[in-house]
């Protein structure tokens, strides 16, 4: 497996530990590098200062010598000056460019290069005057300065002092090694303690896991409790519990739905079975058989219709229904539906009318679904309006968009049924429900309105009238 | 006209065949996908009724292989009515699509539409027995008597007369006359037919509009 992927799929404790160690390693290395560089600089500065000291000393010594001859006779003070200072090489060069003196007189001393950046006699050298000079085995730090013999003529002498740079390399290497070990050890400590801390911090998570493992569809009422856990876990548990609430509600409704569906399917199937069994129990005339087949067909159609409606609702729930919205002339739609139902209303002795609407109104909706919703409302209204009653379709601009009201006179809906009438298979009065009704009409109206981002509501005055209102959102 | 039915469900297949034979077609029945494809490729059919769920080779595959060689019109039958399925069927070259459960009258109407090579020519005058419909002038008469019809009544009568002899299902009537394209619990169509009958049939001894119980309505002069 790809290492990055394996880290991502590993446990949180492992990942955090790894990241902790990585961050610790990086931080320690950065700090160590900084300290090491600082040390190297300090040492260099101190060594450069010593070069300056030696030059100043050489100048003082030079002033004690009366002449070049005297200098060549007793070079001891210069040898003492650099004695014991590892790697220092002091050279005195005469005005004619001749090497007067070299201390110490070593075979492996660095060669004498042409002198650069010579500090004049008028100025005391400082550490900044020390400069680099390349040399084969190592780099040299060099300080060149003018000196003056103490005679009255004032013979100038060049002082060249140098040291190899790597004089402290052994020490620095040790220091670097120790530093690296400390960094590694520190990072390891962080990793170990980090792992322990993280694992301890994760403890409440295991509690949540063991609680979650106890939840099943039969025990959906169980809830997670981590009151004493960290805030993040309490949030997680709260979110999880909210999800369980929704699931429990959904499962309960689903099982209720299945029970209703079974009941409503069983009734027509039972009718069919009994009817057919009775018909087959003895020989009958062709007319009787035909009547039975025709009657059965009605039940089949009822069943097919119920399945179609149930599927429609299921697909709305799963948002699989693509709706084809278009700009519709709301008045034309109302007239069309009115037209469709006018015969039925007339036969039921009910007046069906559209209240005149002043301005043209438009609806952004799926025409088939809108007609279906209005159709369900009107067909309900016609069923529940006593002869001589009146059904009114009205349309008004509402705050959100457009509202269509379907009002019918009649006994109204009892308050106890109001919260349930949009539920699937809910019938206010089972005994009175016509066999053609599937009990899904209003559920479908609500589903259609939800598909459109709108809503349906009902208001009823018992003994007087009932109004169903479809709210369509404005286009913007 | 020879029609091939490819349907694995025993009862459905048998009854479809029986129904088509009785409706005046010659009908062959294949019960598997490969069997149906074989017949479709080697025999000459005017139309194929093809079920989607088939053993051996499903309806989609049968249709695809058939289309490689032949353009026989195909009407697909399926219990699934997902839009994607429908689109898939039509993309593969199906000519029409019917969802189970369907009314047999609906199947017959669709078959006849597919079998009619050219769309029906709009006729200006339709005559059924002594009923005369002048479409342009929206005038209807029986014998010498003018009959006044509402716009709705006229639309309904016109539809029935254009498809004289065909049984029209309630949903087809609702769709054509009112543009209501959904199954409805209501008996709006029955009411409309009742009103139409009161005007064009009730006063006369020869009835033209007939109820085919459980299927729909038909306009024809019966001997």
């Amino acid at each position: 497996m790809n290492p990055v992927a394996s880290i991502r799929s590993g446990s949180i404790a492992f990942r955090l530990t790894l990241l902790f160690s990585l961050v610790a390693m990086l931080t320690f290395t950065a700090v160590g590098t900084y300290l090491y560089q600082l040390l190297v600089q300090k040492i260099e500065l101190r060594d450069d200062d010593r070069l300056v000291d030696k030059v100043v000393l050489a100048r003082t010594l030079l002033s004690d010598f009366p002449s070049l001859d005297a200098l060549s006779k007793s070079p001891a003070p210069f040898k003492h000056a650099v004695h014991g200072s590892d790697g220092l090489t002091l050279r005195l060069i005469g005005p004619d460019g001749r090497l007067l003196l070299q201390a110490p007189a070593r075979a492996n001393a660095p060669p004498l290069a042409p002198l650069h950046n010579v500090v004049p006699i008028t100025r005391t050298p400082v550490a900044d005057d020390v400069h680099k000079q390349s040399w084969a085995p190592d780099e040299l730090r060099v300080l060149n300065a003018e000196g003056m013999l103490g005679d009255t003529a004032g013979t100038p002498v060049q002082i060249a002092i140098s040291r190899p740079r790597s004089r402290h390399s052994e020490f620095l290497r040790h220091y670097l090694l120790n530093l690296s070990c400390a960094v590694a050890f520190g990072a390891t400590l962080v990793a170990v303690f980090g792992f322990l801390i993280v694992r301890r911090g994760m403890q409440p998570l295991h509690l949540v896991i063991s609680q979650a493992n106890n939840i099943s569809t039969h025990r959906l009422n169980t809830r997670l409790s981590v009151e004493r856990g960290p805030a993040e876990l309490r949030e997680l548990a709260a979110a999880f519990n909210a999800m369980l609430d929704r699931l429990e509600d959904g499962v309960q409704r689903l099982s209720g739905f299945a029970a209703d569906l079974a009941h409503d399917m069983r009734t027509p199937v039972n009718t069919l079975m009994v009817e057919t069994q009775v018909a087959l129990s003895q020989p009958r005339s062709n007319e009787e058989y035909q009547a039975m087949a025709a009657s059965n067909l009605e039940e089949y159609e009822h069943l097919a219709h119920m399945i179609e409606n149930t599927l429609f609702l299921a697909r709305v729930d799963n948002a699989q229904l693509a709706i084809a919205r278009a700009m519709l002339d709301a008045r034309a739609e109302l007239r069309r539906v009115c037209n469709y139902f006018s015969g039925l209303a007339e036969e039921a002795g009910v007046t069906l009318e559209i209240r005149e609407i002043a301005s043209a109104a438009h609806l952004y909706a799926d025409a088939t679904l809108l007609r279906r919703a209005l159709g369900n409302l009107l067909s309900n209204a016609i069923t529940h309006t006593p002869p001589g009653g009146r059904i009114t379709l009205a349309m008004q601009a509402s705050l959100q968009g457009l509202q269509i009201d379907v009002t019918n006179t009649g006994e109204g809906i009892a308050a106890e049924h109001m919260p349930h009438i949009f539920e699937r298979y809910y019938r206010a009065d089972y005994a009175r429900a016509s066999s053609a009704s599937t009990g899904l009409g209003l559920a479908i109206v609500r589903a259609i309105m939800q598909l459109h981002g709108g809503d349906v509501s009902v208001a009823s005055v018992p003994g007087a009238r009932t109004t169903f209102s479809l709210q369509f959102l404005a286009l913007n | 006209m020879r029609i091939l039915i490819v349907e694995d469900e025993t009862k459905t297949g048998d009854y479809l065949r029986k129904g088509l034979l009785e409706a005046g077609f010659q009908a062959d029945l294949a019960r598997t996908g490969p069997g149906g494809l074989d017949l479709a490729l080697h025999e000459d059919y005017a139309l194929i009724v093809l079920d989607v769920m088939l053993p051996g080779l499903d309806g989609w595959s049968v249709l695809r292989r058939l289309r490689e060689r032949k353009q026989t019109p195909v009407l697909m039958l399926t219990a699934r009515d997902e839009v994607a399925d429908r689109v898939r069927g039509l993309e593969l070259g199906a000519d029409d699509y019917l969802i189970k459960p369907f009314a047999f009258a609906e199947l017959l109407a669709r078959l006849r539409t597919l079998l009619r090579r050219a769309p029906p020519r709009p006729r200006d005058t339709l005559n059924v027995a002594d009923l005369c419909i002048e479409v342009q002038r929206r005038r209807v008469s029986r014998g010498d008597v003018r009959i006044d019809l509402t716009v709705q009544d006229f639309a309904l009568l016109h539809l029935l007369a254009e498809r004289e002899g065909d049984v029209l299902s309630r949903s087809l009537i609702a769709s054509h006359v009112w543009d209501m394209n959904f199954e409805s619990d209501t008996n709006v169509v029955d009411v409309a037919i009742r009103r139409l009958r009161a005007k064009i049939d009730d006063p006369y001894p020869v009835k033209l509009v007939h109820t085919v119980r459980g299927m729909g309505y038909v306009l024809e002069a019966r001997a």
Side-chain angles (χ1 to χ4, degrees):
Chain A
M1 206 201 300
N2 168 336
V4 175
S6 76
I7 287 168
R8 283 197 181 144
S9 59
S11 76
I12 292 183
F14 175 68
R15 285 173 63 181
L16 283 181
T17 306
L18 201 81
L19 289 173
F20 267 150
S21 334
L22 207 69
V23 169
M25 188 83 87
L26 285 175
T27 314
F28 289 168
T29 306
V31 170
T33 309
Y34 171 71
L35 289 177
Y36 178 76
Q37 290 298 336
L38 203 67
L39 182 72
V40 167
Q41 273 176 25
K42 288 284 175 207
I43 289 175
E44 203 121 277
L45 197 64
R46 202 196 64 190
D47 286 353
D48 289 350
D49 279 343
R50 283 187 54 196
L51 287 185
V52 171
D53 290 347
K54 295 296 175 196
V55 166
V56 172
L57 178 61
R59 275 185 175 176
T60 315
L61 290 175
L62 275 176
S63 65
D64 289 343
F65 284 93
S67 67
L68 285 174
D69 283 344
L71 181 64
S72 56
K73 275 176 196 152
S74 55
F78 292 98
K79 288 187 176 158
H80 291 309
V82 294
H83 181 76
S85 310
D86 269 347
L88 275 188
T89 308
L90 171 72
R91 290 190 176 97
L92 297 178
I93 297 124
D96 52 356
R98 198 165 50 89
L99 181 65
L100 301 175
L101 183 146
Q102 175 175 324
R106 272 193 304 236
N108 63 345
L112 180 65
L115 302 185
H116 292 291
N117 304 0
V118 180
V119 180
I121 191 69
T122 52
R123 187 162 72 74
T124 310
V126 292
D128 277 352
D129 294 317
V130 178
H131 59 274
K132 285 190 295 192
Q133 188 178 311
S134 53
W135 178 41
D138 198 353
E139 203 175 60
L140 291 179
R141 299 288 291 173
V142 177
L143 180 58
N144 300 322
E146 272 183 333
M148 187 79 80
L149 283 176
D151 57 1
T152 46
T155 313
V157 172
Q158 308 288 331
I159 306 163
I161 189 155
S162 68
R163 67 173 174 86
R165 194 173 185 186
S166 63
R167 211 170 57 81
H168 300 287
S169 59
E170 193 63 16
F171 162 71
L172 284 176
R173 204 162 51 241
H174 272 292
Y175 180 71
L176 195 60
L177 193 69
N178 289 340
L179 203 61
S180 305
C181 288
V183 164
F185 183 65
T188 312
L189 270 188
V190 169
V192 171
F193 282 114
F195 179 72
L196 292 176
I197 289 167
V198 166
R199 211 178 50 171
R200 194 173 163 71
M202 292 283 168
Q203 215 92 73
L205 199 61
H206 292 288
L207 182 70
V208 169
I209 290 168
S210 69
Q211 284 177 352
N213 276 335
N214 280 327
I215 297 172
S216 68
T217 40
H218 305 295
R219 279 180 293 180
L220 263 181
N221 54 353
T222 316
R223 292 292 177 271
L224 302 182
S225 65
V226 279
E227 283 87 15
R228 294 168 62 197
E232 291 88 344
L233 271 188
R234 284 205 304 272
E235 275 172 37
L236 177 73
F240 198 83
N241 285 340
M243 182 188 80
L244 283 175
D245 286 343
R246 292 194 297 274
L247 274 182
E248 189 181 9
D249 184 48
V251 167
Q252 253 169 19
R253 276 199 304 165
L254 199 63
S255 55
F257 182 48
D260 290 342
L261 185 63
H263 172 266
D264 279 66
M265 299 274 235
R266 202 176 272 155
T267 311
V269 169
N270 189 52
T271 312
L272 285 167
M273 282 171 64
V274 172
E275 203 170 358
T276 312
Q277 282 163 353
V278 170
L280 291 177
S281 63
Q282 52 176 286
R284 299 190 187 268
S285 69
N286 273 351
E287 287 74 24
E288 279 178 295
Y289 283 127
Q290 276 177 3
M292 178 199 69
S295 156
N296 283 0
L297 192 61
E298 280 163 14
E299 293 297 328
Y300 293 138
E301 280 179 348
H302 183 207
L303 269 174
H305 193 189
M306 192 187 291
I307 290 167
E308 196 264 336
N309 279 341
T310 308
L311 272 179
F312 176 86
L313 286 171
R315 246 176 289 149
V316 169
D317 279 355
N318 293 321
Q320 283 177 6
L321 206 78
I323 69 170
R325 288 205 219 188
M327 266 307 192
L328 303 175
D329 180 348
R331 302 171 75 175
E333 290 302 327
L334 288 193
R335 281 208 200 94
R336 183 195 302 276
V337 182
C338 249
N339 224 338
Y340 182 60
F341 283 101
S342 59
L344 201 60
E346 199 174 303
E347 198 160 80
V350 174
T351 313
L352 178 57
E353 61 174 19
I354 301 177
R355 200 179 298 149
E356 202 41 61
I357 311 133
S359 60
H362 288 92
L363 266 180
Y364 187 60
D366 182 306
T368 303
L369 294 183
L370 170 70
R371 287 168 203 170
R372 188 170 184 169
L374 284 173
N376 285 357
L377 288 185
L378 271 182
S379 114
N380 265 3
I382 292 172
T383 311
H384 291 106
T385 308
R390 173 180 297 268
I391 298 169
T392 318
L393 282 169
M395 192 164 59
Q396 62 193 55
S398 70
L399 279 175
Q400 294 82 22
L402 193 76
Q403 180 172 324
I404 297 175
D405 293 334
V406 179
T407 306
N408 71 297
T409 59
E411 73 267 38
I413 302 167
E416 77 249 38
H417 299 308
M418 292 287 273
H420 305 291
I421 57 168
F422 292 109
E423 284 173 15
R424 291 161 196 199
Y425 295 113
Y426 187 83
R427 289 189 186 113
D429 186 351
Y430 270 90
R432 258 170 27 103
S434 74
S435 68
S437 155
T438 56
L440 289 172
L442 288 175
I444 285 178
V445 172
R446 186 173 63 172
I448 287 173
M449 292 315 293
Q450 282 168 352
L451 273 177
H452 283 83
D455 203 4
V456 57
S457 59
V458 59
S460 185
V461 180
R465 66 182 171 273
T466 305
T467 301
F468 283 91
S469 303
L470 304 180
Q471 282 104 25
F472 287 89
L473 293 178
L475 193 49
N476 293 317
Chain B
M1 288 220 221
R2 277 183 89 188
I3 291 181
L4 173 65
I5 304 161
V6 190
E7 166 66 79
D8 64 315
E9 214 186 329
T10 319
K11 274 192 177 181
T12 313
D14 289 345
Y15 278 103
L16 276 181
R17 181 157 179 269
K18 194 171 168 208
L20 289 181
L21 288 174
E22 285 173 3
F25 295 101
Q26 278 181 278
D28 292 349
L29 178 62
R31 297 195 189 275
T32 64
L37 181 63
D38 195 49
L39 275 176
L41 288 175
H42 297 106
E43 303 286 324
D44 216 19
Y45 292 103
L47 194 137
I48 299 167
V49 177
L50 180 61
D51 187 34
V52 172
M53 302 281 275
L54 287 172
L57 199 62
D58 69 13
W60 309 121
S61 312
V62 172
L63 178 60
R64 196 168 46 239
R65 301 229 191 135
L66 175 71
R67 280 287 173 267
E68 288 167 8
R69 308 247 309 263
K70 275 187 161 178
Q71 291 304 317
T72 318
V74 170
L75 186 139
M76 304 284 289
L77 294 183
T78 175
R80 298 170 52 135
D81 64 340
E82 314 281 305
V83 178
D85 276 4
R86 239 179 285 190
V87 171
R88 185 174 173 201
L90 296 176
E91 271 176 358
L92 284 173
D95 297 86
D96 203 351
Y97 202 99
L98 207 52
I99 296 153
K100 291 178 183 175
F102 53 83
F104 187 70
E106 181 85 21
L107 176 71
L108 273 183
R110 304 268 194 120
L111 287 183
R112 292 208 168 103
T113 311
L114 282 177
L115 289 171
R116 266 196 295 265
R117 299 270 173 222
R121 199 153 40 89
R123 286 168 291 168
D124 192 46
T125 310
L126 299 165
N127 288 296
V128 182
D130 60 341
L131 176 75
C132 175
I133 305 168
E134 293 167 75
V135 179
Q136 286 300 316
R137 300 165 67 190
R138 299 203 160 259
R139 186 180 279 187
V140 177
S141 56
R142 265 196 96 163
D144 298 327
V145 187
R146 273 276 307 272
I147 302 172
D148 284 326
L149 291 182
T150 64
V151 177
Q152 300 286 324
D153 291 340
F154 185 85
L156 181 57
L157 180 63
H158 184 210
L159 175 71
L160 285 166
E162 261 197 326
R163 305 271 191 100
E164 182 195 345
D166 287 356
V167 181
L168 304 184
S169 68
R170 287 173 180 79
S171 61
L172 186 138
I173 292 173
S175 168
H176 276 73
V177 177
W178 293 277
D179 203 8
M180 291 290 175
N181 295 303
F182 56 90
E183 296 285 330
S184 168
D185 285 334
T186 56
N187 53 346
V188 167
V189 174
D190 303 302
V191 173
I193 291 279
R194 210 145 53 218
R195 290 155 61 96
L196 180 66
R197 270 181 172 156
K199 291 173 185 168
I200 67 156
D201 262 356
D202 287 358
Y204 303 94
V206 180
K207 311 297 181 197
L208 296 178
V209 179
H210 308 279
T211 308
V212 182
R213 227 188 134 181
M215 288 168 74
Y217 296 97
V218 60
L219 181 87
E220 64 187 354
R222 287 184 174 168

